[in-house]
Amino acid sequence: MVFQAGCRAGAARPGGRTARTRAAVLRATLEELDETGFGGLTLDKLAARSGVHVSTIRRRWRSVEGVVVDLLAQHSRTIHTPDSGEFRQDLYELAQAIADFHAMPRSRNLIEAVVAAAHDPRIAEIVRGAFTARTEVVTQLVRRAVARGEVPPDTDAYEVIAALSAPFYYRLLIMRSAIDARLARTSAEAAYRAACGGVFGGAAGDASGDVLGDLSGGSSGGPGGGPSGGGERPS
């Protein structure tokens, strides 16, 4: 994902001076977030820690908010998109990768900084774009599941990933409590059963009664009416 926050990211040759400058500033940003949090972050502090002149940082990122969002874009690429050949396993692997990422104090600091930065409508739009771009990559695992016939053909891939991811941000930002293996497991299983039951399809509202029956082990013959339960998927 190429991300731009008021800068010309991607224009420099790999490994050149611009790349080294970006790496130094982003590294300094992580260190400052560890020590002071977003509230104590300033361009002057980033300049002092990174060794990059403050005018260079201001010209490339415009503000500390721009630096933080660029940092988020960089770190989001560390969560790879699973491709095990089986939808349920892919969701479990993705959920565990998200859990591992957010379990690190440094990553939690980064997410909280991004939320704080998004008070600015311009930054909020950039954050939305960064998350949308990352989600587009991850939805590949849902599209592969559709192609294999594991979920209904009208499944909304974005909604599946949103349902999988949302519990992590609720736990992290609202409940302010630890992210653990159980959360990864339940988030993946809930998204899997809902997707197999047609919850994320275009006709989900018309079939809500059937979906509830499927999720409670009703007439479809298995949890979620998915392939592992032997039930028929809604068309």
Side-chain angles (χ1 to χ4, degrees):
M1 174 174 61
V2 176
F3 180 73
Q4 298 187 20
C7 63
R8 293 180 297 276
R13 66 184 186 278
R17 179 179 178 183
T18 300
R20 291 193 297 272
T21 295
R22 179 172 183 260
V25 172
L26 296 188
R27 183 170 57 250
T29 304
L30 273 178
E31 293 169 357
E32 285 291 332
L33 288 174
D34 287 345
E35 292 185 11
T36 66
F38 180 74
L41 197 63
T42 67
L43 293 183
D44 287 334
K45 287 183 178 180
L46 294 182
R49 186 180 288 269
S50 67
V52 176
H53 198 279
V54 67
S55 63
T56 300
I57 300 175
R58 184 174 291 108
R59 182 171 61 253
R60 176 164 180 153
W61 287 279
R62 298 185 182 177
S63 64
V64 292
E65 288 86 355
V67 181
V68 165
V69 178
D70 193 10
L71 185 60
L72 170 68
Q74 181 192 66
H75 276 248
S76 69
R77 290 194 295 268
T78 65
I79 301 177
H80 86 289
T81 303
D83 187 9
S84 69
E86 199 273 318
F87 183 47
R88 186 182 227 158
Q89 182 62 31
D90 283 349
L91 290 178
Y92 270 69
E93 290 182 14
L94 177 60
Q96 189 58 57
I98 295 173
D100 291 343
F101 176 80
H102 290 306
M104 296 184 292
R106 174 164 282 186
S107 297
R108 296 171 73 98
N109 290 343
L110 174 57
I111 292 299
E112 291 180 357
V114 168
V115 171
H119 67 85
D120 180 335
R122 183 184 66 86
I123 297 297
E125 185 61 31
I126 294 172
V127 171
R128 188 177 301 109
F131 274 101
T132 298
R134 173 57 192 165
T135 301
E136 172 62 29
V137 174
V138 181
T139 55
Q140 293 174 16
L141 69 86
V142 184
R143 302 186 205 287
R144 287 193 289 262
V146 170
R148 291 191 298 262
E150 294 181 84
V151 295
D154 64 346
T155 298
D156 187 323
Y158 284 90
E159 290 299 324
V160 175
I161 299 304
L164 175 74
S165 305
F168 294 95
Y169 294 100
Y170 178 78
R171 178 77 64 89
L172 177 69
L173 299 172
I174 305 301
M175 299 303 294
R176 317 289 292 187
S177 55
I179 289 175
D180 52 25
R182 184 174 186 273
L183 179 64
R185 185 173 63 255
T186 57
S187 298
E189 186 65 18
Y192 170 76
R193 294 193 184 199
C196 290
V199 170
F200 304 116
D206 297 333
S208 58
D210 293 335
V211 170
L212 291 175
D214 288 346
L215 296 181
S216 61
S219 59
S220 65
S228 63
E232 294 182 359
R233 291 187 299 271
S235 57

